[in-house]
Amino acid sequence: MANRKTIMSRDFCIILAQCASQKEADAIRSALLKGRLAACVNILKGVDSRFWWNGKVDRAKEVLLMAKSRRTNFNRIAKEIKRLHSYDVPEIIAIPIIAGSGDYLGWIRKNTKA
């Protein structure tokens, strides 16, 4: 029977990374999934970014990568992103999943390495 309960948890997170191109995002997504570091990686195209860089406000069209994983995988995920990323200072941040459906969180656990 499916677990329809909402579970409070500190075991999972969403890792965000802005990428310079679809090709770069695809390479990172493939590496994270192949290594079982993430259970799911979404790519959102057309992000219009504004940010401080080298003392001035800059802009870029970027692709947002969102990886769902275990918190214990963050350092390995960050290492893979840095290895494949073109930016000097890539965005690599984790947002904790504080609660979620038991089915979904169980699916993340089942499909990622511990």
Side-chain angles (χ1 to χ4, degrees):
M1 178 176 227
N3 180 356
R4 301 201 190 289
K5 283 186 170 182
T6 298
I7 296 176
M8 302 302 285
S9 178
R10 294 178 184 214
D11 298 336
F12 304 98
C13 65
I14 299 171
I15 295 96
L16 303 177
Q18 294 284 13
C19 299
S21 68
Q22 180 71 42
K23 184 177 178 181
E24 184 171 83
D26 286 339
I28 293 169
R29 173 173 55 189
S30 293
L32 297 182
L33 291 172
K34 183 178 178 182
R36 291 248 184 210
L37 297 174
C40 174
V41 182
N42 305 109
I43 293 176
L44 303 172
K45 300 175 191 176
V47 176
D48 184 16
S49 298
R50 303 286 194 288
F51 49 91
W52 282 98
W53 188 249
N54 292 328
K56 64 178 185 165
V57 175
D58 204 347
R59 70 187 306 173
K61 293 288 184 187
E62 295 180 302
V63 179
L64 175 62
L65 185 128
M66 297 184 342
K68 280 66 137 222
S69 189
R70 300 170 188 238
R71 290 176 69 174
T72 56
N73 286 341
F74 177 80
N75 288 334
R76 287 181 283 177
I77 289 169
K79 184 176 179 180
E80 276 299 288
I81 292 172
K82 286 178 186 177
R83 182 177 73 81
L84 296 166
H85 211 288
S86 61
Y87 292 171
D88 292 337
V89 184
E91 172 190 68
I92 307 170
I93 59 174
I95 300 170
I97 298 173
I98 58 170
S101 83
D103 291 334
Y104 190 76
L105 297 180
W107 174 81
I108 293 174
R109 180 174 282 117
K110 179 181 175 186
N111 288 287
T112 55
K113 288 182 179 176

